[in-house]
Amino acid sequence: ATITNNSSFKKKHALNCHRMKPALFSVLCEIKEKTVLGIHGIQEEGPSNAQLMRLDNMLLAEGVSRPERRGRGGSAAAANTATPGGCPNDNSLEHSDYRAKLSQIRQIYHSELEKYEQACREFTTHVTNLLQEQSRMRPVSPKEIERMVGVIHGKFNAIQMQLKQSTCEAVMTLRSRFLDARRKRRNFSKQATEVLNEYFYSHLSNPYPSEEAKEELARKGGITVSQVSNWFGNKRIRYKKNMGKFQEEATIYTTKMAVDTTKVGGLRSQASCPSTPSSGEGQAVRPAVTQEGPTVPPLAPGSSPCFSVHLSSWPSDPQSLSLQAKSGWQGAAPPASTASPAGDPGSVHSDASN
DNA sequence: CCGTATGATTATAA
DNA sequence: TTATAATCATACGG
Protein backbone atom coordinates (compact mmCIF):
# COMPACT_ATOMS: atom_id res chain seq x y z
CA ALA A 1 0.00 0.00 0.00
CA THR A 2 2.87 2.30 0.52
CA ILE A 3 4.08 2.00 -2.99
CA THR A 4 1.68 4.49 -4.42
CA ASN A 5 2.38 7.42 -2.14
CA ASN A 6 6.02 7.27 -1.43
CA SER A 7 6.92 9.48 -4.27
CA SER A 8 6.58 13.14 -4.66
CA PHE A 9 3.38 14.90 -5.55
CA LYS A 10 4.27 15.05 -9.15
CA LYS A 11 4.79 11.39 -9.37
CA LYS A 12 1.57 10.87 -7.54
CA HIS A 13 -0.21 12.97 -10.02
CA ALA A 14 1.41 11.12 -12.83
CA LEU A 15 0.35 7.91 -11.31
CA ASN A 16 -3.17 9.08 -10.95
CA CYS A 17 -3.23 9.90 -14.59
CA HIS A 18 -1.72 6.68 -15.65
CA ARG A 19 -4.03 4.64 -17.77
CA MET A 20 -3.36 1.52 -15.73
CA LYS A 21 -4.24 3.25 -12.55
CA PRO A 22 -7.84 2.08 -12.17
CA ALA A 23 -6.90 -1.51 -12.70
CA LEU A 24 -4.03 -1.37 -10.27
CA PHE A 25 -6.17 0.43 -7.80
CA SER A 26 -8.85 -2.20 -7.91
CA VAL A 27 -6.30 -4.93 -7.52
CA LEU A 28 -4.87 -3.23 -4.50
CA CYS A 29 -8.31 -2.79 -3.08
CA GLU A 30 -8.99 -6.44 -3.54
CA ILE A 31 -5.82 -7.46 -1.80
CA LYS A 32 -6.51 -5.14 1.06
CA GLU A 33 -10.04 -6.41 1.32
CA LYS A 34 -8.84 -9.96 1.69
CA THR A 35 -6.30 -8.98 4.26
CA VAL A 36 -8.73 -7.01 6.34
CA LEU A 37 -11.32 -9.69 6.15
CA GLY A 38 -8.75 -12.19 7.28
CA ILE A 39 -7.69 -10.15 10.25
CA HIS A 40 -11.00 -9.49 11.85
CA GLY A 41 -13.59 -11.29 9.93
CA ILE A 42 -16.76 -11.16 11.91
CA GLN A 43 -17.87 -8.66 14.48
CA GLU A 44 -18.94 -10.12 17.76
CA GLU A 45 -22.10 -8.39 18.95
CA GLY A 46 -23.78 -11.59 20.07
CA PRO A 47 -24.91 -11.08 23.67
CA SER A 48 -25.06 -7.35 23.57
CA ASN A 49 -27.71 -7.57 20.94
CA ALA A 50 -29.86 -9.76 23.11
CA GLN A 51 -29.51 -7.44 26.03
CA LEU A 52 -30.33 -4.48 23.88
CA MET A 53 -33.45 -6.20 22.73
CA ARG A 54 -34.41 -6.89 26.29
CA LEU A 55 -34.01 -3.26 27.20
CA ASP A 56 -35.90 -2.24 24.13
CA ASN A 57 -38.78 -4.48 24.95
CA MET A 58 -38.90 -3.24 28.45
CA LEU A 59 -38.91 0.37 27.43
CA LEU A 60 -41.59 -0.43 24.95
CA ALA A 61 -43.69 -2.18 27.53
CA GLU A 62 -43.20 0.62 29.97
CA GLY A 63 -44.41 3.07 27.39
CA VAL A 64 -41.18 5.00 27.29
CA SER A 65 -40.53 4.43 23.66
CA ARG A 66 -43.71 5.42 22.02
CA PRO A 67 -45.21 3.36 19.27
CA GLU A 68 -43.85 5.49 16.53
CA ARG A 69 -40.61 6.22 14.77
CA ARG A 70 -38.42 3.19 14.70
CA GLY A 71 -35.88 4.91 12.56
CA ARG A 72 -33.11 2.48 12.04
CA GLY A 73 -33.33 -0.71 10.17
CA GLY A 74 -31.65 -3.79 11.43
CA SER A 75 -33.46 -4.05 14.70
CA ALA A 76 -36.19 -6.55 15.16
CA ALA A 77 -39.55 -5.50 13.92
CA ALA A 78 -41.07 -4.56 17.22
CA ALA A 79 -42.72 -7.72 18.38
CA ASN A 80 -46.06 -7.55 20.03
CA THR A 81 -44.96 -7.49 23.67
CA ALA A 82 -48.36 -6.43 24.78
CA THR A 83 -47.65 -5.69 28.38
CA PRO A 84 -49.38 -8.21 30.56
CA GLY A 85 -48.84 -6.08 33.58
CA GLY A 86 -51.06 -3.42 32.19
CA CYS A 87 -53.93 -4.49 34.29
CA PRO A 88 -56.90 -2.20 34.61
CA ASN A 89 -55.18 -0.35 37.36
CA ASP A 90 -56.17 2.93 35.88
CA ASN A 91 -57.45 4.42 39.01
CA SER A 92 -55.92 7.48 37.49
CA LEU A 93 -55.88 9.33 40.72
CA GLU A 94 -52.33 8.72 41.82
CA HIS A 95 -51.38 7.83 38.32
CA SER A 96 -51.32 11.39 37.16
CA ASP A 97 -48.20 12.08 39.12
CA TYR A 98 -46.67 8.89 37.94
CA ARG A 99 -47.57 9.70 34.38
CA ALA A 100 -45.99 13.10 34.68
CA LYS A 101 -42.75 11.69 35.94
CA LEU A 102 -42.76 8.98 33.35
CA SER A 103 -43.33 11.48 30.63
CA GLN A 104 -40.43 13.48 31.92
CA ILE A 105 -38.20 10.46 31.74
CA ARG A 106 -39.48 9.72 28.29
CA GLN A 107 -38.77 13.23 27.16
CA ILE A 108 -35.20 13.13 28.41
CA TYR A 109 -34.74 9.73 26.89
CA HIS A 110 -35.91 10.82 23.49
CA SER A 111 -33.96 14.02 23.45
CA GLU A 112 -30.82 12.15 24.38
CA LEU A 113 -31.52 9.52 21.82
CA GLU A 114 -32.04 12.13 19.18
CA LYS A 115 -28.83 13.81 20.16
CA TYR A 116 -26.93 10.60 19.85
CA GLU A 117 -28.42 9.77 16.51
CA GLN A 118 -27.65 13.16 15.16
CA ALA A 119 -24.10 12.96 16.38
CA CYS A 120 -23.84 9.54 14.85
CA ARG A 121 -25.07 10.83 11.52
CA GLU A 122 -22.71 13.75 11.56
CA PHE A 123 -19.77 11.65 12.47
CA THR A 124 -20.64 9.10 9.86
CA THR A 125 -20.88 11.62 7.08
CA HIS A 126 -17.70 13.24 8.24
CA VAL A 127 -15.79 10.00 8.23
CA THR A 128 -17.31 9.01 4.94
CA ASN A 129 -16.27 12.24 3.34
CA LEU A 130 -12.83 11.90 4.77
CA LEU A 131 -12.42 8.42 3.44
CA GLN A 132 -13.73 9.37 0.08
CA GLU A 133 -11.28 12.19 0.04
CA GLN A 134 -8.48 9.84 0.89
CA SER A 135 -9.65 7.27 -1.57
CA ARG A 136 -7.99 9.34 -4.21
CA MET A 137 -4.66 8.91 -2.53
CA ARG A 138 -4.81 5.39 -1.25
CA PRO A 139 -6.85 2.33 -1.87
CA VAL A 140 -10.10 2.72 0.03
CA SER A 141 -12.84 0.54 -1.23
CA PRO A 142 -16.52 1.23 -0.75
CA LYS A 143 -16.71 -1.88 1.31
CA GLU A 144 -14.19 -0.52 3.70
CA ILE A 145 -16.14 2.65 4.07
CA GLU A 146 -19.19 0.61 4.72
CA ARG A 147 -17.40 -1.33 7.37
CA MET A 148 -16.17 1.83 8.98
CA VAL A 149 -19.69 3.12 9.09
CA GLY A 150 -20.74 -0.10 10.69
CA VAL A 151 -18.10 0.28 13.37
CA ILE A 152 -19.22 3.79 14.08
CA HIS A 153 -22.81 2.72 14.37
CA GLY A 154 -21.77 -0.03 16.69
CA LYS A 155 -20.04 2.41 18.98
CA PHE A 156 -22.99 4.72 19.05
CA ASN A 157 -25.31 1.85 19.66
CA ALA A 158 -23.29 0.95 22.69
CA ILE A 159 -23.75 4.45 23.97
CA GLN A 160 -27.43 4.24 23.25
CA MET A 161 -27.65 1.05 25.17
CA GLN A 162 -26.17 2.76 28.17
CA LEU A 163 -28.82 5.40 27.81
CA LYS A 164 -31.51 2.79 27.60
CA GLN A 165 -30.17 1.01 30.60
CA SER A 166 -30.13 4.07 32.76
CA THR A 167 -33.59 4.95 31.56
CA CYS A 168 -34.80 1.51 32.47
CA GLU A 169 -33.32 1.96 35.88
CA ALA A 170 -35.05 5.26 36.33
CA VAL A 171 -38.35 3.80 35.26
CA MET A 172 -38.02 0.93 37.64
CA THR A 173 -37.22 3.23 40.49
CA LEU A 174 -40.16 5.42 39.66
CA ARG A 175 -42.37 2.41 39.35
CA SER A 176 -41.41 0.99 42.70
CA ARG A 177 -41.85 4.38 44.23
CA PHE A 178 -45.29 5.16 42.89
CA LEU A 179 -46.87 1.93 41.89
CA ASP A 180 -45.83 -0.16 44.82
CA ALA A 181 -49.15 -0.76 46.44
CA ARG A 182 -47.61 -0.74 49.84
CA ARG A 183 -47.07 2.95 49.55
CA LYS A 184 -50.66 3.62 48.72
CA ARG A 185 -52.27 1.37 51.20
CA ARG A 186 -55.85 2.03 52.09
CA ASN A 187 -57.76 0.08 54.62
CA PHE A 188 -60.59 -1.94 53.26
CA SER A 189 -64.09 -0.70 53.60
CA LYS A 190 -66.16 -1.75 56.53
CA GLN A 191 -68.19 -3.88 54.24
CA ALA A 192 -65.15 -5.74 53.02
CA THR A 193 -63.71 -6.46 56.44
CA GLU A 194 -67.16 -7.46 57.56
CA VAL A 195 -67.57 -10.00 54.83
CA LEU A 196 -64.07 -11.33 55.19
CA ASN A 197 -64.29 -11.70 58.92
CA GLU A 198 -67.63 -13.39 58.70
CA TYR A 199 -66.23 -15.97 56.40
CA PHE A 200 -63.08 -16.35 58.41
CA TYR A 201 -64.75 -16.92 61.73
CA SER A 202 -67.49 -19.07 60.36
CA HIS A 203 -64.90 -21.28 58.72
CA LEU A 204 -62.38 -20.99 61.44
CA SER A 205 -61.74 -24.68 61.40
CA ASN A 206 -60.66 -24.50 57.82
CA PRO A 207 -60.24 -20.90 56.74
CA TYR A 208 -59.20 -21.65 53.19
CA PRO A 209 -61.83 -20.32 50.85
CA SER A 210 -62.03 -21.95 47.48
CA GLU A 211 -61.53 -19.98 44.34
CA GLU A 212 -65.25 -19.53 43.93
CA ALA A 213 -65.62 -18.50 47.52
CA LYS A 214 -62.84 -15.99 47.04
CA GLU A 215 -64.57 -14.54 44.05
CA GLU A 216 -67.77 -14.30 45.98
CA LEU A 217 -66.04 -12.56 48.86
CA ALA A 218 -64.27 -10.25 46.49
CA ARG A 219 -67.53 -9.34 44.85
CA LYS A 220 -69.28 -8.73 48.14
CA GLY A 221 -66.49 -6.70 49.58
CA GLY A 222 -65.69 -4.74 46.50
CA ILE A 223 -62.10 -5.89 46.39
CA THR A 224 -60.09 -8.15 44.16
CA VAL A 225 -59.54 -11.84 44.53
CA SER A 226 -55.88 -11.21 45.15
CA GLN A 227 -56.79 -8.95 47.99
CA VAL A 228 -59.00 -11.63 49.43
CA SER A 229 -56.13 -14.07 49.24
CA ASN A 230 -53.79 -11.59 50.87
CA TRP A 231 -56.29 -10.91 53.56
CA PHE A 232 -56.75 -14.55 54.40
CA GLY A 233 -53.05 -15.14 54.37
CA ASN A 234 -52.46 -12.32 56.76
CA LYS A 235 -55.43 -13.24 58.88
CA ARG A 236 -54.48 -16.84 59.28
CA ILE A 237 -50.93 -16.15 60.26
CA ARG A 238 -51.81 -13.33 62.58
CA TYR A 239 -54.63 -15.14 64.18
CA LYS A 240 -52.47 -18.13 64.75
CA LYS A 241 -49.68 -16.01 66.07
CA ASN A 242 -51.67 -14.20 68.66
CA MET A 243 -55.07 -15.63 69.18
CA GLY A 244 -55.67 -13.71 72.33
CA LYS A 245 -55.81 -10.53 70.42
CA PHE A 246 -58.60 -11.77 68.21
CA GLN A 247 -60.88 -13.26 70.81
CA GLU A 248 -63.07 -10.24 70.99
CA GLU A 249 -63.37 -10.08 67.27
CA ALA A 250 -64.06 -13.79 67.11
CA THR A 251 -66.94 -13.60 69.51
CA ILE A 252 -68.36 -10.62 67.77
CA TYR A 253 -68.44 -12.27 64.42
CA THR A 254 -69.53 -15.64 65.64
CA THR A 255 -72.43 -14.11 67.48
CA LYS A 256 -73.26 -12.02 64.49
CA MET A 257 -73.24 -15.14 62.42
CA ALA A 258 -75.44 -16.88 64.89
CA VAL A 259 -77.90 -14.07 64.74
CA ASP A 260 -77.89 -14.15 61.02
CA THR A 261 -78.54 -17.82 60.87
CA THR A 262 -81.38 -17.61 63.30
CA LYS A 263 -82.82 -14.81 61.31
CA VAL A 264 -82.60 -16.80 58.14
CA GLY A 265 -84.37 -19.72 59.54
CA GLY A 266 -82.34 -21.26 62.23
CA LEU A 267 -80.60 -24.03 60.48
CA ARG A 268 -77.30 -25.47 61.27
CA SER A 269 -75.48 -24.20 58.28
CA GLN A 270 -72.34 -23.40 60.15
CA ALA A 271 -69.60 -25.85 59.67
CA SER A 272 -67.95 -24.92 62.88
CA CYS A 273 -70.54 -26.44 65.16
CA PRO A 274 -69.88 -30.09 64.58
CA SER A 275 -66.71 -30.15 66.51
CA THR A 276 -67.41 -31.86 69.72
CA PRO A 277 -66.72 -29.24 72.32
CA SER A 278 -66.63 -31.96 74.81
CA SER A 279 -63.54 -31.33 76.79
CA GLY A 280 -60.71 -29.10 76.07
CA GLU A 281 -61.44 -26.39 73.63
CA GLY A 282 -63.75 -24.09 75.43
CA GLN A 283 -61.20 -23.28 78.00
CA ALA A 284 -58.81 -22.00 75.46
CA VAL A 285 -60.75 -19.13 74.17
CA ARG A 286 -63.73 -18.54 76.27
CA PRO A 287 -62.45 -17.59 79.64
CA ALA A 288 -60.80 -14.43 78.61
CA VAL A 289 -63.83 -13.32 76.77
CA THR A 290 -66.07 -13.98 79.63
CA GLN A 291 -63.76 -11.98 81.77
CA GLU A 292 -63.89 -9.09 79.46
CA GLY A 293 -67.47 -9.88 78.82
CA PRO A 294 -68.94 -6.47 79.48
CA THR A 295 -67.81 -5.24 76.16
CA VAL A 296 -70.11 -7.65 74.44
CA PRO A 297 -73.19 -8.00 76.51
CA PRO A 298 -75.36 -9.94 74.12
CA LEU A 299 -73.05 -12.84 74.09
CA ALA A 300 -73.62 -15.30 76.77
CA PRO A 301 -71.28 -18.21 76.72
CA GLY A 302 -74.10 -20.59 76.28
CA SER A 303 -76.10 -18.60 73.83
CA SER A 304 -73.92 -18.93 70.83
CA PRO A 305 -74.33 -22.51 69.82
CA CYS A 306 -71.20 -22.67 67.84
CA PHE A 307 -68.11 -21.06 69.12
CA SER A 308 -65.94 -21.83 66.31
CA VAL A 309 -62.60 -21.61 67.91
CA HIS A 310 -61.16 -24.96 67.27
CA LEU A 311 -57.61 -25.53 67.89
CA SER A 312 -56.92 -27.90 65.13
CA SER A 313 -53.93 -27.04 63.13
CA TRP A 314 -55.30 -25.82 59.83
CA PRO A 315 -52.76 -27.29 57.56
CA SER A 316 -53.67 -30.81 58.50
CA ASP A 317 -57.37 -31.36 58.31
CA PRO A 318 -60.51 -29.79 59.58
CA GLN A 319 -62.13 -33.08 60.37
CA SER A 320 -59.69 -34.31 62.90
CA LEU A 321 -60.58 -32.17 65.80
CA SER A 322 -59.95 -34.64 68.49
CA LEU A 323 -56.32 -34.15 69.14
CA GLN A 324 -55.97 -30.47 68.96
CA ALA A 325 -54.48 -30.03 72.32
CA LYS A 326 -51.20 -31.47 71.27
CA SER A 327 -51.11 -29.44 68.15
CA GLY A 328 -47.97 -27.47 67.99
CA TRP A 329 -49.05 -23.92 67.70
CA GLN A 330 -51.95 -24.09 70.02
CA GLY A 331 -50.47 -26.26 72.67
CA ALA A 332 -47.42 -24.14 72.93
CA ALA A 333 -49.19 -20.91 73.54
CA PRO A 334 -52.54 -21.19 75.21
CA PRO A 335 -53.50 -17.65 74.62
CA ALA A 336 -56.51 -17.11 76.70
CA SER A 337 -56.09 -18.16 80.22
CA THR A 338 -52.58 -17.25 81.05
CA ALA A 339 -51.96 -14.65 78.47
CA SER A 340 -54.96 -12.55 79.14
CA PRO A 341 -53.76 -10.70 82.21
CA ALA A 342 -50.61 -9.53 80.64
CA GLY A 343 -51.41 -9.38 77.01
CA ASP A 344 -54.95 -8.22 76.89
CA PRO A 345 -54.72 -4.58 77.87
CA GLY A 346 -53.02 -3.73 74.70
CA SER A 347 -55.64 -5.08 72.41
CA VAL A 348 -58.38 -2.67 71.74
CA HIS A 349 -60.83 -1.45 69.18
CA SER A 350 -61.89 -4.39 67.23
CA ASP A 351 -63.55 -2.37 64.56
CA ALA A 352 -63.46 1.28 63.70
CA SER A 353 -60.88 0.52 61.12
CA ASN A 354 -62.34 3.22 59.01
C1' DC B 1 -44.16 11.42 67.43
C1' DC B 2 -44.98 6.63 68.78
C1' DG B 3 -47.06 2.18 68.84
C1' DT B 4 -50.25 -0.74 66.75
C1' DA B 5 -53.15 -2.27 62.81
C1' DT B 6 -53.10 -3.58 58.24
C1' DG B 7 -52.59 -4.43 53.27
C1' DA B 8 -48.97 -5.93 50.17
C1' DT B 9 -44.63 -7.95 48.96
C1' DT B 10 -40.89 -11.14 49.42
C1' DA B 11 -38.53 -15.48 50.51
C1' DT B 12 -39.07 -20.19 50.97
C1' DA B 13 -41.04 -24.82 51.12
C1' DA B 14 -44.16 -28.59 49.87
C1' DT C 1 -49.01 -22.90 42.45
C1' DT C 2 -50.30 -21.88 46.83
C1' DA C 3 -49.44 -21.56 51.80
C1' DT C 4 -46.65 -19.84 55.54
C1' DA C 5 -43.61 -16.60 57.75
C1' DA C 6 -41.20 -12.48 57.78
C1' DT C 7 -40.94 -7.95 56.45
C1' DC C 8 -42.10 -3.52 54.45
C1' DA C 9 -44.47 0.76 54.35
C1' DT C 10 -48.32 3.07 55.27
C1' DA C 11 -52.74 4.29 58.09
C1' DC C 12 -54.65 5.41 62.24
C1' DG C 13 -55.39 6.72 66.99
C1' DG C 14 -53.49 8.45 71.26
Side-chain angles (χ1 to χ4, degrees):
Chain A
T2 59
I3 298 173
T4 53
N5 54 7
N6 269 346
S7 316
S8 67
F9 292 117
K10 284 182 181 176
K11 287 205 170 176
K12 209 185 284 176
H13 185 260
L15 217 54
N16 269 339
C17 295
H18 197 280
R19 58 188 168 88
M20 287 293 282
K21 187 250 175 185
L24 286 172
F25 188 84
S26 74
V27 167
L28 283 171
C29 277
E30 198 174 320
I31 292 171
K32 184 175 176 183
E33 185 69 27
K34 279 177 187 169
T35 313
V36 169
L37 279 179
I39 289 176
H40 52 80
I42 294 183
Q43 291 285 55
E44 68 299 336
E45 195 119 20
S48 76
N49 205 2
Q51 194 176 2
L52 192 145
M53 232 175 70
R54 238 185 39 206
L55 291 174
D56 258 346
N57 281 340
M58 178 172 168
L59 289 174
L60 204 59
E62 222 62 46
V64 173
S65 49
R66 293 168 294 194
E68 59 168 52
R69 71 206 292 291
R70 202 66 255 190
R72 311 188 319 280
S75 72
N80 43 15
T81 64
T83 162
C87 37
N89 263 348
D90 293 297
N91 292 334
S92 73
L93 205 135
E94 312 84 23
H95 277 33
S96 61
D97 204 3
Y98 171 76
R99 296 261 182 229
K101 293 265 200 303
L102 188 72
S103 147
Q104 191 177 338
I105 289 177
R106 190 170 57 195
Q107 197 174 339
I108 292 174
Y109 168 78
H110 278 108
S111 84
E112 291 291 303
L113 199 65
E114 183 56 38
K115 229 161 50 181
Y116 288 159
E117 290 196 342
Q118 187 179 342
C120 183
R121 280 195 299 269
E122 284 176 8
F123 195 70
T124 300
T125 56
H126 184 245
V127 168
T128 303
N129 288 339
L130 209 64
L131 285 177
Q132 277 175 352
E133 184 78 21
Q134 288 193 354
S135 72
R136 293 203 298 251
M137 314 298 185
R138 64 189 182 93
V140 179
S141 68
K143 232 175 207 163
E144 191 179 352
I145 294 178
E146 189 181 318
R147 195 157 45 233
M148 206 61 194
V149 169
V151 168
I152 292 169
H153 282 187
K155 296 295 182 194
F156 274 91
N157 276 342
I159 296 175
Q160 282 189 1
M161 201 173 81
Q162 263 184 318
L163 204 216
K164 285 175 181 177
Q165 185 148 16
S166 62
T167 304
C168 269
E169 225 168 281
V171 169
M172 290 304 276
T173 303
L174 181 74
R175 193 184 177 78
S176 74
R177 187 121 160 273
F178 278 81
L179 259 40
D180 190 349
R182 281 181 296 193
R183 297 181 186 272
K184 296 289 183 185
R185 192 176 69 74
R186 299 288 122 163
N187 288 350
F188 290 159
S189 67
K190 193 94 166 95
Q191 170 76 7
T193 54
E194 197 88 357
V195 170
L196 293 167
N197 274 314
E198 273 178 22
Y199 188 98
F200 181 79
Y201 287 110
S202 66
H203 299 74
L204 199 52
S205 59
N206 188 34
Y208 296 86
S210 65
E211 201 56 35
E212 298 84 40
K214 281 181 188 174
E215 286 172 18
E216 173 81 358
L217 290 168
R219 191 183 55 74
K220 282 194 199 169
I223 57 179
T224 68
V225 175
S226 293
Q227 286 176 306
V228 173
S229 296
N230 288 339
W231 190 90
F232 271 89
N234 283 323
K235 193 69 178 183
R236 281 191 299 262
I237 191 66
R238 281 162 183 164
Y239 180 87
K240 185 171 75 173
K241 203 150 182 154
N242 189 354
M243 296 218 321
K245 208 186 310 190
F246 292 96
Q247 287 166 15
E248 230 181 297
E249 193 179 78
T251 53
I252 289 173
Y253 280 100
T254 50
T255 52
K256 184 196 299 277
M257 286 293 305
V259 169
D260 276 0
T261 56
T262 54
K263 188 169 61 181
V264 166
L267 27 78
R268 74 303 191 257
S269 63
Q270 270 34 304
S272 50
C273 293
S275 83
T276 62
S278 53
S279 57
E281 287 87 276
Q283 51 138 60
V285 177
R286 268 311 169 206
V289 174
T290 51
Q291 271 183 8
E292 306 281 330
T295 58
V296 188
L299 95 79
S303 74
S304 70
C306 44
F307 52 113
S308 44
V309 182
H310 313 88
L311 313 177
S312 69
S313 70
W314 295 322
S316 66
D317 187 28
Q319 300 298 16
S320 66
L321 297 169
S322 51
L323 308 169
Q324 311 100 335
K326 60 172 281 190
S327 242
W329 60 281
Q330 171 51 357
S337 58
T338 60
S340 53
D344 265 281
S347 75
V348 272
H349 107 300
S350 59
D351 69 72
S353 58
N354 293 339

